[in-house]
Amino acid sequence: MPRNVVSTHINKFNEALEQICSKPDELTYRLNPEIGSGEFKHYKRPNWDLYIGRFKLIEDIRFQRLPAPEDVGCYGISFQTLGDTINTANWEKPGIKKAAEGLVFHSNNSSINTFWHRNTECSLVHWSFNREWMKEIEHELNFPKIIGQKLAEHKNPMFHVPLSTDMRGNIRQMFYLPSEIYSDFVEPYIYGKCFELFTQASGLIAQNANKQGKKQHIHPDDFNQLEQVKIRLINNYQNPPSVNELVEQTGMSKSKLQRLFHATYNTSVYQFIKNIRMEKAMELLLQGYSVTEAGYDIGYSSIPNFSAAFKEHFNQAPGKIVSG
């Protein structure tokens, strides 16, 4: 049985961390050795809290964020990415799979269950904020009305947002701070990235909600099949399945699969895989991998082809990342 870790409010993520971490300083949570290794950094401003963590567990943990309907107007954004070799067949609830990679936007009425698996490298961003913070930025960004309406319509409102390239870039920069950011400016830099992430997430939710009434409704069974396809592509990006294999998996026709995949995730199967590979390559380069190591690691057999694809995606050569 996994260890159960509970946070009683979505804006009190520290409650969960205090059950599995020690605090070497006021803004750092370090995993206890019997739980695993890694740490979370806490960034705080009035009316919002941000936690950024990279960790690896030696036991399974079930993390629950419980609803807090008395805290009117609290919201959260969470991003979680898991390791590449995870066996999704062992997950206890299929509905949880869609949070393997992506951004989840939720309110104080949301209840979220997530499994952190042992021996798996995990990255997590958890950001909570309230209406007071949104009032502070009204002159810069109006909280989209359609999101407020969607949150009000659902007893347990939660929206999963596939990551765009720009969103991946913001999250990556939270984990790998640019070397030119002086220590005194880290907090405002992180705050700026949060603001961008909020804009991107809320914009995509509003955009998707607007499109929903204009596009052909996707049957829940088809959507579940698409989610399984997405998870398979994420977990097997180094050697991805062919479209014909995905057709066999879903039972859909090739044209239907491609049409519904693009309608749901706003990209083709091929481009989806390419985006994952390029973002993973960027992470590897930032971790110190050579261009050759990164290219081979993400599944390219030709390093010149990898370099060309990387430059097309990021508008800079992979060698620039390594040398920088």
Side-chain angles (χ1 to χ4, degrees), residues 97 222-236 240-243 245-252 257-258 261 265 268-269 272-273 276:
K97 292 180 182 177
D222 289 336
F223 178 75
N224 288 336
Q225 291 279 19
L226 293 172
E227 287 288 285
Q228 298 304 313
V229 165
K230 185 182 75 171
I231 295 301
R232 185 177 177 184
L233 294 176
I234 290 171
N235 290 339
N236 297 279
S242 67
V243 173
E245 289 175 311
L246 298 177
V247 165
E248 184 177 350
Q249 173 187 333
T250 61
M252 299 180 187
L257 172 62
Q258 292 174 321
F261 190 94
Y265 305 116
S268 67
V269 172
F272 185 84
I273 296 168
I276 293 172

PDB file of all heavy atoms in Angstrom, residues 97 222-236 240-243 245-252 257-258 261 265 268-269 272-273 276:
ATOM      1  N   LYS A  97      -4.190   8.729 -15.025  1.00  0.00           N
ATOM      2  CA  LYS A  97      -3.122   8.693 -16.021  1.00  0.00           C
ATOM      3  C   LYS A  97      -2.962  10.017 -16.755  1.00  0.00           C
ATOM      4  O   LYS A  97      -1.867  10.383 -17.132  1.00  0.00           O
ATOM      5  CB  LYS A  97      -3.387   7.587 -17.041  1.00  0.00           C
ATOM      6  CG  LYS A  97      -3.274   6.183 -16.459  1.00  0.00           C
ATOM      7  CD  LYS A  97      -3.562   5.149 -17.532  1.00  0.00           C
ATOM      8  CE  LYS A  97      -3.505   3.749 -16.969  1.00  0.00           C
ATOM      9  NZ  LYS A  97      -3.843   2.744 -17.976  1.00  0.00           N
ATOM     10  N   ASP A 222     -14.251   7.725 -26.856  1.00  0.00           N
ATOM     11  CA  ASP A 222     -13.189   8.131 -27.783  1.00  0.00           C
ATOM     12  C   ASP A 222     -12.154   8.991 -27.071  1.00  0.00           C
ATOM     13  O   ASP A 222     -10.941   8.842 -27.300  1.00  0.00           O
ATOM     14  CB  ASP A 222     -13.775   8.911 -28.968  1.00  0.00           C
ATOM     15  CG  ASP A 222     -14.564   8.020 -29.919  1.00  0.00           C
ATOM     16  OD1 ASP A 222     -14.289   6.801 -29.935  1.00  0.00           O
ATOM     17  OD2 ASP A 222     -15.430   8.541 -30.632  1.00  0.00           O
ATOM     18  N   PHE A 223     -12.626   9.885 -26.186  1.00  0.00           N
ATOM     19  CA  PHE A 223     -11.694  10.743 -25.459  1.00  0.00           C
ATOM     20  C   PHE A 223     -10.772   9.906 -24.573  1.00  0.00           C
ATOM     21  O   PHE A 223      -9.562  10.147 -24.498  1.00  0.00           O
ATOM     22  CB  PHE A 223     -12.450  11.759 -24.613  1.00  0.00           C
ATOM     23  CG  PHE A 223     -11.555  12.652 -23.800  1.00  0.00           C
ATOM     24  CD1 PHE A 223     -10.847  13.678 -24.399  1.00  0.00           C
ATOM     25  CD2 PHE A 223     -11.401  12.449 -22.433  1.00  0.00           C
ATOM     26  CE1 PHE A 223     -10.001  14.491 -23.660  1.00  0.00           C
ATOM     27  CE2 PHE A 223     -10.553  13.255 -21.692  1.00  0.00           C
ATOM     28  CZ  PHE A 223      -9.863  14.282 -22.300  1.00  0.00           C
ATOM     29  N   ASN A 224     -11.338   8.910 -23.894  1.00  0.00           N
ATOM     30  CA  ASN A 224     -10.515   8.031 -23.061  1.00  0.00           C
ATOM     31  C   ASN A 224      -9.466   7.305 -23.891  1.00  0.00           C
ATOM     32  O   ASN A 224      -8.324   7.124 -23.464  1.00  0.00           O
ATOM     33  CB  ASN A 224     -11.401   7.024 -22.318  1.00  0.00           C
ATOM     34  CG  ASN A 224     -12.207   7.668 -21.207  1.00  0.00           C
ATOM     35  OD1 ASN A 224     -11.819   8.707 -20.685  1.00  0.00           O
ATOM     36  ND2 ASN A 224     -13.330   7.064 -20.857  1.00  0.00           N
ATOM     37  N   GLN A 225      -9.858   6.881 -25.092  1.00  0.00           N
ATOM     38  CA  GLN A 225      -8.899   6.222 -25.986  1.00  0.00           C
ATOM     39  C   GLN A 225      -7.777   7.192 -26.377  1.00  0.00           C
ATOM     40  O   GLN A 225      -6.600   6.818 -26.433  1.00  0.00           O
ATOM     41  CB  GLN A 225      -9.616   5.720 -27.241  1.00  0.00           C
ATOM     42  CG  GLN A 225     -10.568   4.548 -26.992  1.00  0.00           C
ATOM     43  CD  GLN A 225      -9.816   3.215 -26.914  1.00  0.00           C
ATOM     44  OE1 GLN A 225      -8.621   3.171 -26.700  1.00  0.00           O
ATOM     45  NE2 GLN A 225     -10.545   2.130 -27.107  1.00  0.00           N
ATOM     46  N   LEU A 226      -8.150   8.435 -26.645  1.00  0.00           N
ATOM     47  CA  LEU A 226      -7.151   9.434 -27.016  1.00  0.00           C
ATOM     48  C   LEU A 226      -6.186   9.707 -25.858  1.00  0.00           C
ATOM     49  O   LEU A 226      -4.981   9.892 -26.066  1.00  0.00           O
ATOM     50  CB  LEU A 226      -7.830  10.731 -27.443  1.00  0.00           C
ATOM     51  CG  LEU A 226      -8.638  10.678 -28.743  1.00  0.00           C
ATOM     52  CD1 LEU A 226      -9.413  11.979 -28.929  1.00  0.00           C
ATOM     53  CD2 LEU A 226      -7.740  10.425 -29.948  1.00  0.00           C
ATOM     54  N   GLU A 227      -6.712   9.734 -24.644  1.00  0.00           N
ATOM     55  CA  GLU A 227      -5.850   9.938 -23.484  1.00  0.00           C
ATOM     56  C   GLU A 227      -4.850   8.793 -23.344  1.00  0.00           C
ATOM     57  O   GLU A 227      -3.679   9.004 -23.010  1.00  0.00           O
ATOM     58  CB  GLU A 227      -6.697  10.063 -22.219  1.00  0.00           C
ATOM     59  CG  GLU A 227      -7.446  11.371 -22.108  1.00  0.00           C
ATOM     60  CD  GLU A 227      -6.506  12.535 -21.804  1.00  0.00           C
ATOM     61  OE1 GLU A 227      -6.053  12.652 -20.658  1.00  0.00           O
ATOM     62  OE2 GLU A 227      -6.207  13.314 -22.725  1.00  0.00           O
ATOM     63  N   GLN A 228      -5.303   7.561 -23.613  1.00  0.00           N
ATOM     64  CA  GLN A 228      -4.393   6.414 -23.556  1.00  0.00           C
ATOM     65  C   GLN A 228      -3.324   6.515 -24.641  1.00  0.00           C
ATOM     66  O   GLN A 228      -2.160   6.179 -24.409  1.00  0.00           O
ATOM     67  CB  GLN A 228      -5.185   5.103 -23.711  1.00  0.00           C
ATOM     68  CG  GLN A 228      -6.214   4.856 -22.622  1.00  0.00           C
ATOM     69  CD  GLN A 228      -5.603   4.882 -21.230  1.00  0.00           C
ATOM     70  OE1 GLN A 228      -4.568   4.264 -21.007  1.00  0.00           O
ATOM     71  NE2 GLN A 228      -6.225   5.596 -20.317  1.00  0.00           N
ATOM     72  N   VAL A 229      -3.730   6.989 -25.808  1.00  0.00           N
ATOM     73  CA  VAL A 229      -2.766   7.196 -26.897  1.00  0.00           C
ATOM     74  C   VAL A 229      -1.738   8.233 -26.477  1.00  0.00           C
ATOM     75  O   VAL A 229      -0.527   8.059 -26.669  1.00  0.00           O
ATOM     76  CB  VAL A 229      -3.492   7.636 -28.183  1.00  0.00           C
ATOM     77  CG1 VAL A 229      -2.494   8.204 -29.200  1.00  0.00           C
ATOM     78  CG2 VAL A 229      -4.255   6.464 -28.787  1.00  0.00           C
ATOM     79  N   LYS A 230      -2.210   9.334 -25.896  1.00  0.00           N
ATOM     80  CA  LYS A 230      -1.304  10.402 -25.484  1.00  0.00           C
ATOM     81  C   LYS A 230      -0.288   9.899 -24.465  1.00  0.00           C
ATOM     82  O   LYS A 230       0.917  10.172 -24.580  1.00  0.00           O
ATOM     83  CB  LYS A 230      -2.096  11.570 -24.896  1.00  0.00           C
ATOM     84  CG  LYS A 230      -1.227  12.768 -24.552  1.00  0.00           C
ATOM     85  CD  LYS A 230      -2.041  13.891 -23.939  1.00  0.00           C
ATOM     86  CE  LYS A 230      -2.419  13.564 -22.506  1.00  0.00           C
ATOM     87  NZ  LYS A 230      -3.029  14.722 -21.806  1.00  0.00           N
ATOM     88  N   ILE A 231      -0.752   9.155 -23.473  1.00  0.00           N
ATOM     89  CA  ILE A 231       0.149   8.627 -22.454  1.00  0.00           C
ATOM     90  C   ILE A 231       1.147   7.653 -23.063  1.00  0.00           C
ATOM     91  O   ILE A 231       2.336   7.651 -22.724  1.00  0.00           O
ATOM     92  CB  ILE A 231      -0.648   7.938 -21.329  1.00  0.00           C
ATOM     93  CG1 ILE A 231      -1.490   8.965 -20.588  1.00  0.00           C
ATOM     94  CG2 ILE A 231       0.289   7.222 -20.365  1.00  0.00           C
ATOM     95  CD1 ILE A 231      -0.698  10.080 -19.955  1.00  0.00           C
ATOM     96  N   ARG A 232       0.692   6.838 -24.013  1.00  0.00           N
ATOM     97  CA  ARG A 232       1.604   5.901 -24.670  1.00  0.00           C
ATOM     98  C   ARG A 232       2.687   6.655 -25.441  1.00  0.00           C
ATOM     99  O   ARG A 232       3.862   6.272 -25.423  1.00  0.00           O
ATOM    100  CB  ARG A 232       0.822   4.974 -25.608  1.00  0.00           C
ATOM    101  CG  ARG A 232       1.682   3.881 -26.236  1.00  0.00           C
ATOM    102  CD  ARG A 232       0.853   2.945 -27.097  1.00  0.00           C
ATOM    103  NE  ARG A 232       1.690   1.940 -27.747  1.00  0.00           N
ATOM    104  CZ  ARG A 232       1.247   1.041 -28.627  1.00  0.00           C
ATOM    105  NH1 ARG A 232      -0.063   1.026 -28.944  1.00  0.00           N
ATOM    106  NH2 ARG A 232       2.062   0.166 -29.176  1.00  0.00           N
ATOM    107  N   LEU A 233       2.304   7.722 -26.102  1.00  0.00           N
ATOM    108  CA  LEU A 233       3.285   8.514 -26.846  1.00  0.00           C
ATOM    109  C   LEU A 233       4.283   9.184 -25.906  1.00  0.00           C
ATOM    110  O   LEU A 233       5.482   9.235 -26.185  1.00  0.00           O
ATOM    111  CB  LEU A 233       2.570   9.580 -27.685  1.00  0.00           C
ATOM    112  CG  LEU A 233       1.683   9.058 -28.819  1.00  0.00           C
ATOM    113  CD1 LEU A 233       0.958  10.217 -29.489  1.00  0.00           C
ATOM    114  CD2 LEU A 233       2.486   8.267 -29.838  1.00  0.00           C
ATOM    115  N   ILE A 234       3.787   9.700 -24.778  1.00  0.00           N
ATOM    116  CA  ILE A 234       4.668  10.352 -23.808  1.00  0.00           C
ATOM    117  C   ILE A 234       5.679   9.359 -23.242  1.00  0.00           C
ATOM    118  O   ILE A 234       6.867   9.654 -23.107  1.00  0.00           O
ATOM    119  CB  ILE A 234       3.840  10.980 -22.669  1.00  0.00           C
ATOM    120  CG1 ILE A 234       3.052  12.189 -23.187  1.00  0.00           C
ATOM    121  CG2 ILE A 234       4.737  11.395 -21.497  1.00  0.00           C
ATOM    122  CD1 ILE A 234       2.058  12.744 -22.202  1.00  0.00           C
ATOM    123  N   ASN A 235       5.207   8.158 -22.927  1.00  0.00           N
ATOM    124  CA  ASN A 235       6.071   7.168 -22.281  1.00  0.00           C
ATOM    125  C   ASN A 235       6.970   6.427 -23.263  1.00  0.00           C
ATOM    126  O   ASN A 235       7.891   5.723 -22.832  1.00  0.00           O
ATOM    127  CB  ASN A 235       5.221   6.157 -21.504  1.00  0.00           C
ATOM    128  CG  ASN A 235       4.578   6.772 -20.272  1.00  0.00           C
ATOM    129  OD1 ASN A 235       5.033   7.793 -19.780  1.00  0.00           O
ATOM    130  ND2 ASN A 235       3.530   6.158 -19.785  1.00  0.00           N
ATOM    131  N   ASN A 236       6.714   6.555 -24.562  1.00  0.00           N
ATOM    132  CA  ASN A 236       7.498   5.824 -25.556  1.00  0.00           C
ATOM    133  C   ASN A 236       8.012   6.743 -26.665  1.00  0.00           C
ATOM    134  O   ASN A 236       8.129   6.326 -27.811  1.00  0.00           O
ATOM    135  CB  ASN A 236       6.647   4.695 -26.166  1.00  0.00           C
ATOM    136  CG  ASN A 236       6.231   3.657 -25.153  1.00  0.00           C
ATOM    137  OD1 ASN A 236       6.985   2.761 -24.808  1.00  0.00           O
ATOM    138  ND2 ASN A 236       5.004   3.787 -24.657  1.00  0.00           N
ATOM    139  N   PRO A 240       8.522   5.604 -30.612  1.00  0.00           N
ATOM    140  CA  PRO A 240       7.064   5.735 -30.563  1.00  0.00           C
ATOM    141  C   PRO A 240       6.348   4.728 -31.454  1.00  0.00           C
ATOM    142  O   PRO A 240       6.889   4.275 -32.475  1.00  0.00           O
ATOM    143  CB  PRO A 240       6.832   7.165 -31.071  1.00  0.00           C
ATOM    144  CG  PRO A 240       8.019   7.448 -31.930  1.00  0.00           C
ATOM    145  CD  PRO A 240       9.164   6.739 -31.293  1.00  0.00           C
ATOM    146  N   PRO A 241       5.132   4.373 -31.075  1.00  0.00           N
ATOM    147  CA  PRO A 241       4.340   3.472 -31.917  1.00  0.00           C
ATOM    148  C   PRO A 241       3.942   4.165 -33.216  1.00  0.00           C
ATOM    149  O   PRO A 241       3.828   5.396 -33.274  1.00  0.00           O
ATOM    150  CB  PRO A 241       3.111   3.180 -31.053  1.00  0.00           C
ATOM    151  CG  PRO A 241       2.998   4.373 -30.150  1.00  0.00           C
ATOM    152  CD  PRO A 241       4.403   4.802 -29.865  1.00  0.00           C
ATOM    153  N   SER A 242       3.741   3.392 -34.251  1.00  0.00           N
ATOM    154  CA  SER A 242       3.274   3.945 -35.523  1.00  0.00           C
ATOM    155  C   SER A 242       1.791   4.275 -35.425  1.00  0.00           C
ATOM    156  O   SER A 242       1.090   3.813 -34.516  1.00  0.00           O
ATOM    157  CB  SER A 242       3.510   2.939 -36.642  1.00  0.00           C
ATOM    158  OG  SER A 242       2.690   1.795 -36.459  1.00  0.00           O
ATOM    159  N   VAL A 243       1.309   5.075 -36.365  1.00  0.00           N
ATOM    160  CA  VAL A 243      -0.117   5.390 -36.391  1.00  0.00           C
ATOM    161  C   VAL A 243      -0.935   4.112 -36.560  1.00  0.00           C
ATOM    162  O   VAL A 243      -2.002   3.952 -35.959  1.00  0.00           O
ATOM    163  CB  VAL A 243      -0.424   6.400 -37.515  1.00  0.00           C
ATOM    164  CG1 VAL A 243      -1.941   6.597 -37.662  1.00  0.00           C
ATOM    165  CG2 VAL A 243       0.249   7.734 -37.238  1.00  0.00           C
ATOM    166  N   GLU A 245      -0.197   1.184 -35.415  1.00  0.00           N
ATOM    167  CA  GLU A 245      -0.262   0.525 -34.105  1.00  0.00           C
ATOM    168  C   GLU A 245      -1.268   1.204 -33.198  1.00  0.00           C
ATOM    169  O   GLU A 245      -1.975   0.555 -32.419  1.00  0.00           O
ATOM    170  CB  GLU A 245       1.129   0.520 -33.467  1.00  0.00           C
ATOM    171  CG  GLU A 245       2.122  -0.414 -34.128  1.00  0.00           C
ATOM    172  CD  GLU A 245       3.513  -0.296 -33.544  1.00  0.00           C
ATOM    173  OE1 GLU A 245       4.012   0.845 -33.407  1.00  0.00           O
ATOM    174  OE2 GLU A 245       4.106  -1.336 -33.228  1.00  0.00           O
ATOM    175  N   LEU A 246      -1.357   2.530 -33.305  1.00  0.00           N
ATOM    176  CA  LEU A 246      -2.338   3.268 -32.508  1.00  0.00           C
ATOM    177  C   LEU A 246      -3.754   2.979 -32.984  1.00  0.00           C
ATOM    178  O   LEU A 246      -4.684   2.916 -32.178  1.00  0.00           O
ATOM    179  CB  LEU A 246      -2.053   4.770 -32.583  1.00  0.00           C
ATOM    180  CG  LEU A 246      -0.705   5.220 -32.021  1.00  0.00           C
ATOM    181  CD1 LEU A 246      -0.517   6.716 -32.227  1.00  0.00           C
ATOM    182  CD2 LEU A 246      -0.591   4.884 -30.541  1.00  0.00           C
ATOM    183  N   VAL A 247      -3.907   2.806 -34.289  1.00  0.00           N
ATOM    184  CA  VAL A 247      -5.215   2.418 -34.839  1.00  0.00           C
ATOM    185  C   VAL A 247      -5.638   1.064 -34.267  1.00  0.00           C
ATOM    186  O   VAL A 247      -6.790   0.871 -33.860  1.00  0.00           O
ATOM    187  CB  VAL A 247      -5.142   2.367 -36.380  1.00  0.00           C
ATOM    188  CG1 VAL A 247      -6.354   1.623 -36.943  1.00  0.00           C
ATOM    189  CG2 VAL A 247      -5.072   3.778 -36.953  1.00  0.00           C
ATOM    190  N   GLU A 248      -4.690   0.138 -34.204  1.00  0.00           N
ATOM    191  CA  GLU A 248      -4.985  -1.187 -33.646  1.00  0.00           C
ATOM    192  C   GLU A 248      -5.327  -1.083 -32.168  1.00  0.00           C
ATOM    193  O   GLU A 248      -6.218  -1.779 -31.675  1.00  0.00           O
ATOM    194  CB  GLU A 248      -3.771  -2.093 -33.840  1.00  0.00           C
ATOM    195  CG  GLU A 248      -4.009  -3.527 -33.383  1.00  0.00           C
ATOM    196  CD  GLU A 248      -2.811  -4.417 -33.661  1.00  0.00           C
ATOM    197  OE1 GLU A 248      -1.880  -3.986 -34.369  1.00  0.00           O
ATOM    198  OE2 GLU A 248      -2.802  -5.559 -33.160  1.00  0.00           O
ATOM    199  N   GLN A 249      -4.636  -0.199 -31.450  1.00  0.00           N
ATOM    200  CA  GLN A 249      -4.884  -0.020 -30.016  1.00  0.00           C
ATOM    201  C   GLN A 249      -6.280   0.529 -29.754  1.00  0.00           C
ATOM    202  O   GLN A 249      -6.973   0.082 -28.838  1.00  0.00           O
ATOM    203  CB  GLN A 249      -3.838   0.925 -29.418  1.00  0.00           C
ATOM    204  CG  GLN A 249      -4.108   1.319 -27.963  1.00  0.00           C
ATOM    205  CD  GLN A 249      -3.135   2.377 -27.477  1.00  0.00           C
ATOM    206  OE1 GLN A 249      -2.013   2.490 -27.952  1.00  0.00           O
ATOM    207  NE2 GLN A 249      -3.558   3.170 -26.493  1.00  0.00           N
ATOM    208  N   THR A 250      -6.695   1.520 -30.545  1.00  0.00           N
ATOM    209  CA  THR A 250      -7.950   2.219 -30.273  1.00  0.00           C
ATOM    210  C   THR A 250      -9.159   1.607 -30.962  1.00  0.00           C
ATOM    211  O   THR A 250     -10.287   1.803 -30.520  1.00  0.00           O
ATOM    212  CB  THR A 250      -7.837   3.683 -30.713  1.00  0.00           C
ATOM    213  OG1 THR A 250      -7.582   3.736 -32.123  1.00  0.00           O
ATOM    214  CG2 THR A 250      -6.714   4.391 -29.962  1.00  0.00           C
ATOM    215  N   GLY A 251      -8.926   0.906 -32.074  1.00  0.00           N
ATOM    216  CA  GLY A 251     -10.043   0.394 -32.855  1.00  0.00           C
ATOM    217  C   GLY A 251     -10.667   1.444 -33.748  1.00  0.00           C
ATOM    218  O   GLY A 251     -11.665   1.182 -34.428  1.00  0.00           O
ATOM    219  N   MET A 252     -10.077   2.654 -33.757  1.00  0.00           N
ATOM    220  CA  MET A 252     -10.570   3.710 -34.643  1.00  0.00           C
ATOM    221  C   MET A 252      -9.973   3.532 -36.036  1.00  0.00           C
ATOM    222  O   MET A 252      -8.955   2.874 -36.206  1.00  0.00           O
ATOM    223  CB  MET A 252     -10.165   5.095 -34.116  1.00  0.00           C
ATOM    224  CG  MET A 252     -10.697   5.469 -32.763  1.00  0.00           C
ATOM    225  SD  MET A 252     -10.112   7.152 -32.323  1.00  0.00           S
ATOM    226  CE  MET A 252     -10.682   7.252 -30.620  1.00  0.00           C
ATOM    227  N   LEU A 257      -8.829   8.659 -36.001  1.00  0.00           N
ATOM    228  CA  LEU A 257      -7.832   8.858 -34.959  1.00  0.00           C
ATOM    229  C   LEU A 257      -7.080  10.162 -35.169  1.00  0.00           C
ATOM    230  O   LEU A 257      -6.926  10.964 -34.241  1.00  0.00           O
ATOM    231  CB  LEU A 257      -6.843   7.688 -34.943  1.00  0.00           C
ATOM    232  CG  LEU A 257      -5.620   7.836 -34.028  1.00  0.00           C
ATOM    233  CD1 LEU A 257      -6.046   7.952 -32.574  1.00  0.00           C
ATOM    234  CD2 LEU A 257      -4.674   6.661 -34.222  1.00  0.00           C
ATOM    235  N   GLN A 258      -6.623  10.397 -36.397  1.00  0.00           N
ATOM    236  CA  GLN A 258      -5.848  11.606 -36.667  1.00  0.00           C
ATOM    237  C   GLN A 258      -6.709  12.857 -36.508  1.00  0.00           C
ATOM    238  O   GLN A 258      -6.249  13.874 -35.982  1.00  0.00           O
ATOM    239  CB  GLN A 258      -5.249  11.529 -38.071  1.00  0.00           C
ATOM    240  CG  GLN A 258      -4.169  10.449 -38.207  1.00  0.00           C
ATOM    241  CD  GLN A 258      -3.675  10.282 -39.632  1.00  0.00           C
ATOM    242  OE1 GLN A 258      -4.445  10.341 -40.583  1.00  0.00           O
ATOM    243  NE2 GLN A 258      -2.377  10.047 -39.787  1.00  0.00           N
ATOM    244  N   PHE A 261      -7.524  13.325 -32.692  1.00  0.00           N
ATOM    245  CA  PHE A 261      -6.319  13.684 -31.945  1.00  0.00           C
ATOM    246  C   PHE A 261      -6.002  15.160 -32.156  1.00  0.00           C
ATOM    247  O   PHE A 261      -5.716  15.893 -31.208  1.00  0.00           O
ATOM    248  CB  PHE A 261      -5.138  12.816 -32.395  1.00  0.00           C
ATOM    249  CG  PHE A 261      -3.915  12.945 -31.514  1.00  0.00           C
ATOM    250  CD1 PHE A 261      -3.706  12.050 -30.474  1.00  0.00           C
ATOM    251  CD2 PHE A 261      -2.982  13.956 -31.721  1.00  0.00           C
ATOM    252  CE1 PHE A 261      -2.591  12.161 -29.649  1.00  0.00           C
ATOM    253  CE2 PHE A 261      -1.867  14.084 -30.906  1.00  0.00           C
ATOM    254  CZ  PHE A 261      -1.669  13.177 -29.862  1.00  0.00           C
ATOM    255  N   TYR A 265      -6.014  17.842 -29.109  1.00  0.00           N
ATOM    256  CA  TYR A 265      -4.730  18.367 -28.618  1.00  0.00           C
ATOM    257  C   TYR A 265      -4.135  19.444 -29.528  1.00  0.00           C
ATOM    258  O   TYR A 265      -3.026  19.915 -29.277  1.00  0.00           O
ATOM    259  CB  TYR A 265      -3.733  17.211 -28.444  1.00  0.00           C
ATOM    260  CG  TYR A 265      -4.276  16.119 -27.559  1.00  0.00           C
ATOM    261  CD1 TYR A 265      -4.501  14.830 -28.059  1.00  0.00           C
ATOM    262  CD2 TYR A 265      -4.587  16.375 -26.228  1.00  0.00           C
ATOM    263  CE1 TYR A 265      -5.020  13.831 -27.253  1.00  0.00           C
ATOM    264  CE2 TYR A 265      -5.104  15.385 -25.418  1.00  0.00           C
ATOM    265  CZ  TYR A 265      -5.321  14.113 -25.931  1.00  0.00           C
ATOM    266  OH  TYR A 265      -5.838  13.131 -25.131  1.00  0.00           O
ATOM    267  N   SER A 268      -0.817  17.345 -34.546  1.00  0.00           N
ATOM    268  CA  SER A 268      -0.836  16.001 -35.111  1.00  0.00           C
ATOM    269  C   SER A 268      -0.081  15.034 -34.208  1.00  0.00           C
ATOM    270  O   SER A 268       0.683  15.452 -33.325  1.00  0.00           O
ATOM    271  CB  SER A 268      -0.185  16.009 -36.500  1.00  0.00           C
ATOM    272  OG  SER A 268       1.205  16.293 -36.387  1.00  0.00           O
ATOM    273  N   VAL A 269      -0.275  13.740 -34.430  1.00  0.00           N
ATOM    274  CA  VAL A 269       0.459  12.725 -33.668  1.00  0.00           C
ATOM    275  C   VAL A 269       1.959  12.915 -33.877  1.00  0.00           C
ATOM    276  O   VAL A 269       2.750  12.886 -32.921  1.00  0.00           O
ATOM    277  CB  VAL A 269       0.029  11.307 -34.094  1.00  0.00           C
ATOM    278  CG1 VAL A 269       0.924  10.248 -33.455  1.00  0.00           C
ATOM    279  CG2 VAL A 269      -1.435  11.061 -33.733  1.00  0.00           C
ATOM    280  N   PHE A 272       3.227  16.001 -32.061  1.00  0.00           N
ATOM    281  CA  PHE A 272       3.160  15.764 -30.615  1.00  0.00           C
ATOM    282  C   PHE A 272       4.412  15.038 -30.149  1.00  0.00           C
ATOM    283  O   PHE A 272       5.044  15.419 -29.160  1.00  0.00           O
ATOM    284  CB  PHE A 272       1.904  14.955 -30.286  1.00  0.00           C
ATOM    285  CG  PHE A 272       1.663  14.760 -28.812  1.00  0.00           C
ATOM    286  CD1 PHE A 272       1.014  15.728 -28.065  1.00  0.00           C
ATOM    287  CD2 PHE A 272       2.078  13.597 -28.169  1.00  0.00           C
ATOM    288  CE1 PHE A 272       0.789  15.558 -26.701  1.00  0.00           C
ATOM    289  CE2 PHE A 272       1.860  13.415 -26.815  1.00  0.00           C
ATOM    290  CZ  PHE A 272       1.211  14.397 -26.081  1.00  0.00           C
ATOM    291  N   ILE A 273       4.788  13.978 -30.874  1.00  0.00           N
ATOM    292  CA  ILE A 273       5.991  13.221 -30.528  1.00  0.00           C
ATOM    293  C   ILE A 273       7.234  14.098 -30.658  1.00  0.00           C
ATOM    294  O   ILE A 273       8.112  14.100 -29.786  1.00  0.00           O
ATOM    295  CB  ILE A 273       6.129  11.976 -31.432  1.00  0.00           C
ATOM    296  CG1 ILE A 273       4.968  11.011 -31.198  1.00  0.00           C
ATOM    297  CG2 ILE A 273       7.465  11.261 -31.195  1.00  0.00           C
ATOM    298  CD1 ILE A 273       4.872   9.921 -32.233  1.00  0.00           C
ATOM    299  N   ILE A 276       7.607  16.507 -27.736  1.00  0.00           N
ATOM    300  CA  ILE A 276       8.085  15.834 -26.525  1.00  0.00           C
ATOM    301  C   ILE A 276       9.582  15.586 -26.617  1.00  0.00           C
ATOM    302  O   ILE A 276      10.342  15.829 -25.668  1.00  0.00           O
ATOM    303  CB  ILE A 276       7.338  14.506 -26.310  1.00  0.00           C
ATOM    304  CG1 ILE A 276       5.859  14.769 -26.000  1.00  0.00           C
ATOM    305  CG2 ILE A 276       7.970  13.702 -25.166  1.00  0.00           C
ATOM    306  CD1 ILE A 276       5.024  13.522 -25.974  1.00  0.00           C
TER     307      ILE A 276
END
